[in-house]
Amino acid sequence: MRLVHSGIHRQRFTGMPNNAPENPSGNDLLRNSTLYREFQAEREEILKHKWIESEKAGYDIGFEQALTDWIVKHRAKWRKHRQSAAASHG
């Protein structure tokens, strides 16, 4: 997470960037939340995994298979890496 000195407290604890309006809409709150950003990052990793595994198989393996395979093979290590990276930056 990139923190600007003058807005560290607001961004770290609310997940909202420093230039966010004082009364953000529900959609803005969702998009700026840490949970949503983690969901988006995880989804991107699953889609990368789907592409790689589909290329290996020679056909589209589908999102469900890619999701299951990624969770079993990669999720724990990926999360641990993200958590340690966030801790070293925060």
Side-chain angles (χ1 to χ4, degrees):
M1 175 186 325
R2 188 178 203 197
L3 300 176
V4 175
H5 179 60
S6 64
I8 290 173
H9 178 56
R10 182 175 181 190
Q11 187 169 2
R12 181 181 291 159
F13 296 105
T14 65
M16 293 174 60
N18 299 326
N19 59 355
E22 289 301 316
N23 296 316
S25 71
N27 285 338
D28 291 337
L29 285 173
L30 175 64
R31 282 190 209 103
N32 292 323
S33 74
T34 302
L35 180 61
Y36 185 73
R37 286 192 309 261
E38 286 299 304
F39 163 77
Q40 289 291 80
E42 191 168 295
R43 184 176 177 274
E44 286 298 314
E45 290 299 313
I46 295 162
L47 291 173
K48 286 181 204 174
H49 183 71
K50 177 183 178 286
W51 181 78
I52 292 167
E53 296 303 314
S54 293
E55 287 291 314
K56 287 179 188 176
Y59 60 91
D60 186 347
I61 65 169
F63 188 81
E64 296 298 321
Q65 183 176 339
L67 171 66
T68 303
D69 190 57
W70 185 81
I71 288 171
V72 170
K73 295 179 179 175
H74 305 289
R75 186 184 212 185
K77 186 176 180 180
W78 180 83
R79 279 188 168 179
K80 187 175 182 177
H81 174 72
R82 286 201 42 106
Q83 290 169 349
S84 66
S88 68
H89 294 298

